[in-house]
Amino acid sequence: MPLFEYRCEGCGSVFEHLARSAGEKPAACPRCGAKKVEKQFSTFSAHQAPESGLPSCASGSCSAGACATGACPFSAS
Ligand SMILES: [Zn+2]
């Protein structure tokens, strides 16, 4: 069963809810009881690479790990 994360629009707390079906929503926030809850991105998608394109050497921390040596294959120059 998929585990979804929800954020309460009332108190802002984030909680997890085990859904038995894809469209199921938790009835209310377990903390304050508000029924306005917003589904968050799952923890699975949170670990995927961003869709913004190639890693950037500008930050000095691209995935190649060779920015500091000047031999990074992703370097623009
Ligand atoms: Zn709440």
Side-chain angles (χ1 to χ4, degrees), residues 8 10-13 29 31-34:
C8 172
C11 67
S13 67
C29 169
R31 182 175 170 185
C32 72

Side-chain angles (χ1 to χ4, degrees), residues 2-8 13-17 37-51:
L3 186 64
F4 293 114
E5 257 188 9
Y6 295 86
R7 187 178 65 85
C8 172
S13 67
V14 177
F15 58 95
E16 291 178 335
H17 175 74
V37 294
E38 191 175 74
K39 188 176 176 183
Q40 302 291 287
F41 291 111
S42 75
T43 51
F44 300 105
S45 59
H47 291 296
Q48 289 178 355
E51 298 179 2

